[in-house]
Amino acid sequence: MEIIKYPGREEWSSLIKRPALDVTTLFDTVRTVLDEVREQGDIAVKAYEEKFDKVQLSSLQVSEEEMREADALVAEDLKQAIRTAKANIEKFHASQRFEGKKVETTPGVTCWQKAVAIEKVGLYIPGGTAPLFSTVLMLAVPARIAGCKEIVLCTPPNREGKVHPAILFAAEVAGVSKIFKAGGIQAIAAMAYGTESVPKVYKIFGPGNQYVTAAKQLVSLKEVAIDMPAGPSEVEVIADETANPDFIAADFLSQAEHGVDSQAILVTSSETIVKPVARAIQEQLDRLPRKEITEKSLAHSRIIVLKDSREVVDFTNQYAPEHLIIQTSDYTAIAERIENAGSVFMGPYTPESAGDYASGTNHTLPTNGYAKAYSGVNLDSFIKKITFQEITSDGIRALGSTIQTMAANEQLDAHRNAVTIRLNTI
C-alpha cells in the first residue's frame, strides 16, 4: 500500500484517480447481447445464462415453491437481522416523503408539484463472490414506500439453477413483485426491453461488474433511466492522532474486501498514526478469509499525509468519496465542511458497515467522483415530480402581457397568440 507524504496540490489530481475500468472497450460485446435479448427475448436470456452462468433454465421466474424452500433454508438469526435492517431502512426512507404545496406566483396564478411513483422499476442484484441480500433491502424498500406498482428483481442463479435463499427472503420481506434468474448483460437487457417473462421497466437500479455497468450505460441512452453511473466501491477515512488504528484498519479492510478493484484511502494531517495504521492493517489482513481479494485491492489503496485540516477537507471534496469515515476529535466540525461525498460516517463508533447493512441509510451510492453531482439512492430516486398550474381570468390578465412580450421577442407568434386570444375574450 502506497504512503504519500505532503503532496503539493498540483499532485492531487493524480492521487484522486480510481482503479476504474474503461467500459467503452466492452461496448461491442455488450451491444451484441443487448440486441439478441431485444430480438429473441427469453430464448436469448436462457442461452446467455447457459453460456455465462453455466446453467440450463427451463423457467426464468422464481416460483412460489422456491420462495417457500428459501424461507426454510434461512437461519432464524439472519431472518431477524434482515427484518431489523428492513425496519430501519423503512423508517429513514419514509421520512423523506415529499410534501408539495401550492404557491401563488402572481395573483390568479397557482403552481404546485405532485410526487408520483415510477410505475415499474427493475432491481439488479449481483451474484459474484457474495450474495448481496442487503442491496435487495436498499432498493426494494424505498421502491415500495414510494408506491412503485411493479418491482422486478433480476439476479444470477448458481449452477443448480437456484438463487441464494437470503436474497429470496429479503425480496419477500421488502415487497418485490417478481424475481427472475438472470445475471449480467442479459438481465439488464431483459428489464430494459422486456421479454415474454420479464416485464419492461422504466428505471433500473443496482450495482454490477463492468459488463453490467456498460449495459446500463447503453440502455440508458434510449430505453430506460438508470440510478447513477457506477464504478468500483471506495472509502476514504479522515483520521487524526486521537483515532484508534485498529478501527481505521478494520474500516480499510471492510472496504477492500468488496473486490479487487475497490479502493480505500486514509487522509490525515497526523503523521504519527501512519505506522500504527499500516501495522494494524497487516495484522488484521492475515486473519481474513478473503485475504487474496483484499490484498489486490490494497495494492491501489493509499495513505496520504497532508499538512493541516484545511488541506484534508479540500482534498476530500476534490476526491468526492462514495463512503467517508471521519475519526477525529472534531469530527462534527469536519463533517460540516464536507460538500462532496456519498455517505458520511461520523465518530469512532460509526463503521461503514453500519450504513452498508442496518443503520437505515442507503448503501447504493455514487462512486468514481460522481458524488460531486449525484446523490445516493433515496426515496426521490423512485419518484418523479409533475408540475401543475392553474390560471384564472384575473391571472391571465395580470401575467398575459409578460408572456406576450417574451413570446414576441423569441419570434414565436403562436405562443403569443395563445395568450392574446384568451385576453380578447375577457
Side-chain angles (χ1 to χ4, degrees):
M1 186 169 58
E2 194 177 10
I3 298 174
I4 301 112
K5 295 182 180 179
Y6 309 107
R9 286 180 181 254
E10 69 278 3
E11 299 175 67
W12 289 6
S13 59
S14 63
L15 294 178
I16 66 171
K17 288 181 179 177
R18 274 72 162 181
L21 295 171
D22 180 6
V23 297
T24 56
T25 59
L26 310 174
F27 280 173
D28 287 344
T29 300
V30 173
R31 281 194 187 95
T32 298
V33 179
L34 293 177
D35 288 344
E36 287 189 20
V37 172
R38 179 167 48 191
E39 293 165 8
Q40 300 173 26
D42 284 356
I43 292 174
V45 175
K46 290 175 183 177
Y48 279 112
E49 279 305 307
E50 184 172 2
K51 180 177 180 179
F52 295 135
D53 292 326
K54 311 303 180 187
V55 59
Q56 289 186 331
L57 297 172
S58 56
S59 173
L60 294 178
Q61 187 166 0
V62 173
S63 67
E64 287 296 324
E65 182 182 348
E66 288 173 303
M67 295 298 289
R68 288 191 295 271
E69 180 184 273
D71 185 83
L73 291 171
V74 179
E76 193 55 43
D77 62 339
L78 178 54
K79 285 183 178 180
Q80 189 52 48
I82 288 172
R83 292 188 189 104
T84 299
K86 183 251 185 184
N88 289 345
I89 295 164
E90 193 169 51
K91 186 181 296 184
F92 181 64
H93 288 76
S95 73
Q96 301 166 18
R97 283 193 176 99
F98 173 77
E99 295 180 9
K101 58 182 180 181
K102 292 188 176 183
V103 177
E104 191 172 55
T105 57
T106 294
V109 179
T110 306
C111 303
W112 66 97
Q113 278 187 320
K114 176 183 176 183
V116 180
I118 298 172
E119 188 179 349
K120 300 178 182 182
V121 295
L123 316 181
Y124 182 73
I125 307 300
T129 58
L132 297 183
F133 55 84
S134 59
T135 303
V136 178
L137 301 177
M138 295 292 173
L139 298 177
V141 169
R144 180 59 64 195
I145 294 169
C148 300
K149 293 178 182 176
E150 191 160 35
I151 304 171
V152 175
L153 187 152
C154 283
T155 190
N158 62 22
R159 294 193 178 190
E160 287 71 51
K162 299 289 186 181
V163 172
H164 194 284
I167 288 178
L168 297 184
F169 179 78
E172 178 74 21
V173 167
V176 171
S177 310
K178 296 176 181 177
I179 305 168
F180 297 93
K181 302 171 188 178
I185 308 165
Q186 61 270 26
I188 302 303
M191 292 188 286
Y193 307 128
T195 71
E196 297 89 337
S197 299
V198 184
K200 173 178 168 57
V201 302
Y202 303 151
K203 189 172 183 179
I204 296 174
F205 297 79
N209 62 20
Q210 65 267 35
Y211 291 96
V212 169
T213 297
K216 285 174 67 179
Q217 288 179 0
L218 286 174
V219 297
S220 72
L221 296 176
K222 192 163 100 174
E223 299 296 335
V224 294
I226 61 171
D227 46 4
M228 67 189 80
S233 191
E234 63 201 27
V235 68
E236 177 189 337
V237 181
I238 295 176
D240 63 12
E241 67 281 354
T242 68
N244 185 321
D246 289 332
F247 290 5
I248 298 171
D251 291 332
F252 243 63
L253 295 171
S254 69
Q255 179 60 50
E257 74 173 354
H258 268 297
V260 296
D261 53 1
S262 295
Q263 183 177 63
I265 66 170
L266 167 63
V267 182
T268 182
S269 57
S270 303
E271 190 176 342
T272 55
I273 71 168
V274 172
K275 286 184 178 178
V277 168
R279 184 166 55 248
I281 288 172
Q282 189 58 53
E283 289 172 356
Q284 293 183 32
L285 174 64
D286 289 338
R287 300 194 295 268
L288 291 178
R290 291 168 66 89
K291 179 180 177 180
E292 188 176 342
I293 289 173
T294 308
E295 278 184 321
K296 290 178 180 177
S297 172
L298 288 175
H300 39 70
S301 296
R302 51 182 67 111
I303 295 174
I304 301 170
V305 182
L306 299 172
K307 66 182 182 181
D308 53 33
S309 65
R310 179 180 176 182
E311 279 202 349
V312 168
V313 170
D314 289 350
F315 180 90
T316 301
N317 284 325
Q318 192 168 330
Y319 182 66
E322 176 190 17
H323 306 96
L324 174 63
I325 299 172
I326 309 176
Q327 294 187 41
T328 62
S329 59
D330 59 344
Y331 62 80
T332 300
I334 294 286
E336 288 175 354
R337 295 159 62 193
I338 298 303
E339 297 177 353
N340 301 322
S343 191
V344 181
F345 302 78
M346 299 168 57
Y349 300 106
T350 315
E352 179 208 318
S353 47
D356 278 351
Y357 290 112
S359 65
T361 61
N362 208 290
H363 76 202
T364 309
L365 302 165
T367 61
N368 202 28
Y370 282 110
K372 292 175 181 173
Y374 283 83
S375 305
V377 165
N378 57 77
L379 197 63
D380 274 356
S381 306
F382 296 90
I383 66 174
K384 56 191 188 292
K385 290 171 184 163
I386 305 173
T387 58
F388 296 81
Q389 55 214 281
E390 182 181 9
I391 302 178
T392 64
S393 58
D394 288 341
I396 196 68
R397 190 157 38 221
L399 194 59
S401 62
T402 297
I403 302 168
Q404 287 175 311
T405 300
M406 294 180 75
N409 278 273
E410 286 194 346
Q411 299 178 33
L412 296 174
D413 290 341
H415 281 64
R416 183 173 186 266
N417 188 55
V419 174
T420 303
I421 201 166
R422 285 170 168 82
L423 291 175
N424 290 341
T425 67
I426 300 173

